[in-house]
Amino acid sequence: MKTPNQNQNKNQNQNPTQDPRQKHIKNLLPPVLFALFIAASLIFRIEFGQIAAGHFLDFGSEMIKIVPFAFILIGLFEVWVPTHVVERHLGEQAGLRAHLWAILLAGTTVGGLYVAFPVAATLQRKGARLAFLFTYIGASGVCRIPMTLFEASFLGLEFTLIRYMVSVPLIILSSELLGSYLQHRSYQIQS
Amino acid sequence: MIVLYILSTAALLASLIADRRKTLKALKIALGRFLKLLPPFLTMLSIVALILTALPSEVCVRYLGGDNLAFTTGAAALLGSISLMPGFIAFPLSGLLLKQGVPYIVLAAFTTTLMMVGVVTFPIEQHYMGTKITLVRNLISLLIALAVALIIGLYFGELL
C-alpha cells in the first residue's frame, strides 16, 4: 500500500522544479569525491594527490580572502540601494552610455569573473538590463585596473592599448546582441 | 585587496549605525548566497587542483616558443582557457617569455583567454548563468581573444 503513495510523491517533487536541497547534495558530490581522493593520497602517500591538495589550499585561501567580503558588499547593496537608482543608470531606458558605466564598475571589481557573476545577479534583480550585465562580466575579465597596470608594465603600453581597442568594442557588441536576444526571452541570472 | 577590506568594513559599520535590522538582513543575504555558491565553488577548486597537478601551467607556458605560429597561438589559447592564474603571476611570466623571444601574438592569445575564457570556472558560471549561456559566453570570449591576438600579431608585424 505504501509504495504507490511514495511513488506519487516522488513524481510530484520532480514535476515542478527539482527539490533544491537534493540539488545541493548532488552538487556537493564532486568536491566530496575529491576530498576522499586527497584523504586516500595522504594515507597511501600518493604524490599526485598530495600536490593537488597543495594547489587546492593555495587557490582556496587566495579566494577565501576575497569572496566573503564581496558577498557582504553584495548583501549591503541589496538592502540599501533602491531599485530606481540601478534602473536609471543600467536599466532599459539607460541608453548605450550605460555600457561605459558597466566597464568602469568592472574596472574596480576585485578578483575577476567569480566575483562578477554574483554582482551581475544582484544588479539584474535591481532592474539592470542584461546587455549591460554581459558587458560588465566581459569587462571584469579584461578591464580590471590593477591587472591592466601589470600588463602594461610587463608587455608594454602599446600591447595593452591594442587589446583594449579590440576587445572592448567586441565585448559591447556581443553583449548587446546576446543581451537583447535573451531579454525578450526573460532570461534570469540565478543568484 | 586592502581597498576591498576597508570598503566592506566601513560599509558594514555605516550600515550598522544607520539601521541594525537592515544590516542583519544584508548579512543573511550574504551568508545565504555564499552557502549556495559553496558546492560549485569547491567543485571548481577541485578541478583547478587536479588540472594544475597534471599540467603545471608555468611549465607548459615554456613550450610556447615553437616555430609554427598558428600551432603555438592555438596552444596558448587552449592553455589560457583551461588555466586559472592571477594577473600578478601571469603577466610577469609573459614578460619573461617575451624577453626569451616568444611572439606577442602567442602571449596575447594566452593572456586574453586566461582573462576571458573560464573552463575551470565552468561550475561557478553555470550556477549563475545556466549551461547554455555559459557555453555561448565562453565561445564568444574565445573568438574575441583570438581576434585580439590576430590584431596584435598584425600590429607587431609578426604575421605579414
Side-chain angles (χ1 to χ4, degrees), chain B:
Chain B
M1 207 121 90
I2 294 169
V3 181
L4 177 69
Y5 297 154
I6 296 171
L7 193 68
S8 48
T9 314
L12 193 62
L13 284 177
S15 172
L16 262 176
I17 293 165
D19 190 333
R20 271 184 61 185
R21 190 171 291 172
K22 258 187 165 176
T23 309
L24 203 68
K25 203 176 146 202
L27 288 176
K28 260 189 195 157
I29 292 174
L31 185 69
R33 300 266 173 90
F34 180 67
L35 288 178
K36 251 165 88 181
L37 179 65
L38 216 50
F41 189 72
L42 292 173
T43 303
M44 178 196 76
L45 282 177
S46 311
I47 299 173
V48 171
L50 291 176
I51 288 188
L52 275 182
T53 314
L55 312 158
S57 24
E58 277 94 340
V59 178
C60 290
V61 169
R62 294 179 197 287
Y63 294 102
L64 295 180
D67 285 331
N68 186 338
L69 210 55
F71 175 77
T72 42
T73 305
L78 184 72
L79 192 63
S81 301
I82 62 170
S83 307
L84 191 70
M85 204 190 277
F88 61 85
I89 295 177
F91 288 112
L93 185 66
S94 304
L96 196 74
L97 291 169
L98 184 66
K99 281 193 189 136
Q100 292 172 0
V102 174
Y104 279 104
I105 180 173
V106 175
L107 296 174
F110 174 66
T111 56
T112 314
T113 49
L114 190 65
M115 293 182 280
M116 289 189 79
V117 184
V119 171
V120 290
T121 47
F122 196 91
I124 289 194
E125 185 163 355
Q126 188 187 33
H127 172 82
Y128 289 104
M129 315 296 284
T131 309
K132 211 159 63 185
I133 302 307
T134 302
L135 284 173
V136 171
R137 196 202 67 82
N138 278 292
L139 196 67
I140 292 174
S141 301
L142 180 65
L143 292 177
I144 292 178
L146 290 176
V148 167
L150 202 68
I151 306 265
I152 282 192
L154 284 173
Y155 179 86
F156 287 103
E158 293 164 350
L159 285 178
L160 294 174

Side-chain angles (χ1 to χ4, degrees), chain A residues 124-170:
Chain A
Q124 196 189 21
R125 286 161 69 103
K126 293 279 182 187
R129 194 171 152 249
L130 264 174
F132 303 136
L133 296 179
F134 280 117
T135 295
Y136 166 71
I137 291 169
S140 71
V142 297
C143 300
R144 273 173 289 137
I145 292 163
M147 198 194 69
T148 305
L149 296 177
F150 257 103
E151 182 190 27
S153 54
F154 283 99
L155 293 175
L157 193 59
E158 284 171 60
F159 184 95
T160 302
L161 284 178
I162 299 171
R163 191 177 58 77
Y164 266 72
M165 285 189 312
V166 179
S167 64
V168 170
L170 287 176

Side-chain angles (χ1 to χ4, degrees), chain A residues 62-142:
Chain A
E62 198 59 47
M63 288 174 174
I64 218 71
K65 281 187 218 158
I66 295 175
V67 172
F69 294 93
F71 272 90
I72 288 176
L73 283 178
I74 287 171
L76 290 171
F77 182 90
E78 195 110 331
V79 296
W80 284 109
V81 178
T83 305
H84 67 86
V85 174
V86 176
E87 273 176 352
R88 179 150 33 97
H89 293 288
L90 291 172
E92 205 61 60
Q93 71 275 44
L96 293 183
R97 203 184 30 187
H99 284 291
L100 214 65
W101 287 121
I103 291 170
L104 284 177
L105 187 63
T108 57
T109 295
V110 196
L113 287 177
Y114 58 93
V115 175
F117 294 121
V119 171
T122 295
L123 287 172
Q124 196 189 21
R125 286 161 69 103
K126 293 279 182 187
R129 194 171 152 249
L130 264 174
F132 303 136
L133 296 179
F134 280 117
T135 295
Y136 166 71
I137 291 169
S140 71
V142 297

